[in-house]
Amino acid sequence: MKLLIIEDEQALRESMVKYLSYQGYVCETAADFLSARDKLSLFNYDCVIVDIGLPGGSGLDIVSEVKYLESKAGIIIISARNTLDDKLKGLELGSDDYLTKPFHLSELNARIQAILRRRSFDGNKTIGFHEIKLYPDQRKATVNEKSIDLTDKEYNLLEYFISNKGRVLTKPAIAEHNWGDEYAQAGEYDFIYTHIKNLRKKLLDAGSGDYLKTVYGSGYRFTDL
């Protein structure tokens, strides 16, 4: 899952990136209003974490921008201002949650997980595809109820494929979502093939059906057809 962290306070921004990256998220950052707006117009995110007070503009306007772009990203506002007006305004504009500084990073992670479950998995704590089951809170995968040992990137790929089952996912889209914007712009995607080959082998060795299909000239699709 891919996050955009919009926070001008460097120490807090870096601590969020370190903690959430360790939890398995792909984290992109922006330190001001204009760079945040540029990233939102160019790339897709699963969740946007935005401070209200930003150099160059208001985080509330970022919330409006996300909605204007018809993004499916969840939105969490973080702010040092614990005022009812700010909370109501944020919710009216379309944010999903509001977290007052200072906060524990574990609480932020829990709120991100809750939003992603509601938006991507209909609130379920597990997601599945036939004999494959994922437990996002634990970042655990099973085949026929038996755990399989996946790397962080392999788990992210599998979750991304199952969340988009039946859709053709291009190599640039896979790179952007699972490795970050810089990889999407690099133009070289041989590393994706290696990770997908390893994931496919682990699934087959565990007794899964062969659902990871190459769509020649386009990318990959996760399907039972």
Side-chain angles (χ1 to χ4, degrees), residues 106-126:
S106 57
E107 181 181 4
L108 174 61
N109 183 38
R111 304 230 187 163
I112 293 169
Q113 290 179 351
I115 289 172
L116 294 178
R117 281 199 302 268
R118 290 200 302 269
R119 288 181 170 265
S120 301
F121 311 130
D122 298 323
N124 295 321
K125 289 199 172 184
T126 63

Side-chain angles (χ1 to χ4, degrees), residues 128-147:
F129 187 84
H130 298 314
E131 67 276 10
I132 303 170
K133 188 176 289 186
L134 301 183
Y135 302 81
D137 288 357
Q138 304 172 52
R139 294 183 58 76
K140 172 185 170 184
T142 65
V143 174
N144 293 319
E145 306 302 326
K146 294 183 179 179
S147 295

Side-chain angles (χ1 to χ4, degrees), residues 58-68 75 77 86-96:
S58 169
L60 293 175
D61 291 330
I62 293 293
V63 177
S64 298
E65 185 79 8
V66 172
K67 295 304 175 181
Y68 173 76
I75 305 170
I77 292 174
D86 283 341
K87 291 181 180 180
L88 292 177
K89 182 65 173 176
L91 293 170
E92 287 170 2
L93 290 172
S95 68
D96 297 278

